[in-house]
Amino acid sequence: MIPAKSEGLNKEDAYKKFRKEICAQAIYDIYKEMVARSKGTERSVLAILVRTNDQVKKVGKVLKESQITRSIPYQVVVEGSLFQSDAAKDLLYLLQAWLNPDDDLARYSFSQTAFCRKEQEEFVITENKHFYETGSYCYGVTQSWYEALENVKMAPIFMVLNHYLSQVPYCNHLELQGYSKIQIKQYEMNLYKILDLMTSSMNECTDLYSLYEWLKIKHTTNTSDSEAELSDYDFESDFIKVMTVHKAKGLEFNTVIIPFLRNSFVRTLSEEF
């Protein structure tokens, strides 16, 4: 783990080595040291650089699950993960629910998206059918979903979808689910990047079923499109950025952490299978 800018640090403090492959406490300590060294004129970035996407995901999981680092703003850049993002999954479940509005599994999957409002367990189901009960909890479906369900039978799907997304308060729902401001920003940017790819790949007369099948195939097979990139200015303070060395080519960071150094650069046949 090496600070890239070590002015004012003793030689023995400029390099820190920890026994664990990736340690939340070590990340937190180095982040705090970077913030303390920052002159405050611009955002400082702590980069965690690894070799593979799997390692990126491992670091991201540590940052997400550790109580120590949870309050620190961070971005995890996994290459080719756009169609595995939360935004892609939610959009897929939305289209699936419109295709199969009476299917219990489709409704349950839709209830887990940002397009639904989670309710308290004791919430009573209403007579106007705007709430479904699944197991021990209820979730709210906005009126705009029902309107869109009727409109997809007559209007072009892209028109209906764009209008629906402009009406549903999914950002508020994500905030209630515990998403940070930067995670909500990432979700929204991913959502509209997917919509742009949809409109450029299919004609405006595409029907609901064709759009659902296109997204389903992309979700299953696409590993080339990456998530929308946040800029440093999307962050309100110093932050952590996790990415591969390949993705970091040409970029500069205030501090760099390089974990997984014990892993071999050449995999053996036993590691391949």
Side-chain angles (χ1 to χ4, degrees):
M1 299 182 179
I2 310 169
K5 295 182 180 179
S6 56
E7 295 88 349
L9 292 179
N10 296 326
K11 186 175 180 181
E12 59 270 20
D13 293 331
Y15 179 85
K16 290 193 172 186
K17 182 177 178 181
F18 296 87
R19 292 185 178 182
K20 292 183 179 179
E21 282 187 329
I22 188 69
C23 174
Q25 184 63 56
I27 295 173
Y28 178 82
D29 291 344
I30 293 176
Y31 174 81
K32 288 299 181 183
E33 288 179 7
M34 179 192 73
V35 173
R37 295 197 309 271
S38 175
K39 298 177 181 179
T41 56
E42 58 182 21
R43 296 166 187 80
S44 295
V45 184
L46 168 59
I48 303 179
L49 304 183
V50 297
R51 283 185 289 150
T52 67
N53 275 336
D54 285 340
Q55 291 173 344
V56 171
K57 293 175 184 177
K58 277 185 181 180
V59 178
K61 185 178 180 182
V62 170
L63 292 173
K64 182 178 180 180
E65 295 181 353
S66 174
Q67 293 289 343
I68 301 172
T69 56
R70 189 171 295 176
S71 61
I72 300 175
Y74 66 89
Q75 180 187 14
V76 178
V77 182
V78 182
E79 297 177 64
S81 62
L82 176 64
F83 287 97
Q84 285 74 50
S85 66
D86 289 345
K89 293 174 185 176
D90 286 0
L91 197 54
L92 183 65
Y93 291 141
L94 169 63
L95 299 178
Q96 182 185 48
W98 278 338
L99 275 173
N100 306 285
D102 297 322
D103 183 83
D104 289 338
L105 181 58
R107 290 205 306 265
Y108 174 76
S109 298
F110 176 63
S111 76
Q112 305 304 298
T113 71
F115 308 126
C116 274
R117 182 179 68 256
K118 304 297 187 299
E119 303 293 346
Q120 299 297 326
E121 289 187 7
E122 65 271 19
F123 195 88
V124 179
I125 201 166
T126 61
E127 293 293 333
N128 59 11
K129 304 292 185 180
H130 285 183
F131 292 89
Y132 293 108
E133 185 174 16
T134 306
S136 61
Y137 76 99
C138 299
Y139 59 92
V141 179
T142 59
Q143 182 62 33
S144 57
W145 185 85
Y146 292 97
E147 294 171 356
L149 181 61
E150 292 301 316
N151 290 336
V152 293
K153 301 173 184 177
M154 303 172 290
I157 181 59
F158 284 123
M159 181 186 298
V160 175
L161 181 58
N162 285 317
H163 180 71
Y164 172 75
L165 293 176
S166 69
Q167 297 294 313
V168 65
Y170 58 86
C171 290
N172 293 341
H173 297 166
L174 289 170
E175 186 177 2
L176 291 173
Q177 292 175 33
Y179 279 58
S180 66
K181 288 183 179 180
I182 201 65
Q183 288 173 324
I184 294 173
K185 178 74 173 178
Q186 181 74 74
Y187 181 100
E188 191 167 32
M189 290 177 64
N190 286 342
L191 185 61
Y192 282 98
K193 182 174 181 178
I194 294 169
L195 291 174
D196 287 341
L197 289 172
M198 281 180 169
T199 54
S200 63
S201 301
M202 311 188 77
N203 63 62
E204 60 182 16
C205 297
T206 297
D207 61 281
L208 173 60
Y209 178 77
S210 298
L211 189 62
Y212 169 74
E213 285 296 315
W214 180 88
L215 183 56
K216 183 180 177 182
I217 292 171
K218 289 290 185 180
H219 174 65
T220 306
T221 63
N222 185 287
T223 56
S224 58
D225 289 295
S226 297
E227 295 187 52
E229 289 194 22
L230 297 167
S231 73
D232 292 357
Y233 297 102
D234 289 316
F235 293 83
E236 297 177 354
S237 60
D238 304 325
F239 66 98
I240 296 173
K241 194 164 193 172
V242 187
M243 61 200 316
T244 61
V245 175
H246 172 74
K247 193 75 174 177
K249 185 177 180 181
L251 302 179
E252 293 185 0
F253 306 102
N254 301 82
T255 302
V256 174
I257 295 177
I258 306 176
F260 306 110
L261 291 179
R262 295 182 181 179
N263 294 11
S264 60
F265 281 87
V266 179
R267 291 187 295 180
T268 63
L269 286 175
S270 61
E271 291 176 317
E272 293 282 352
F273 300 97

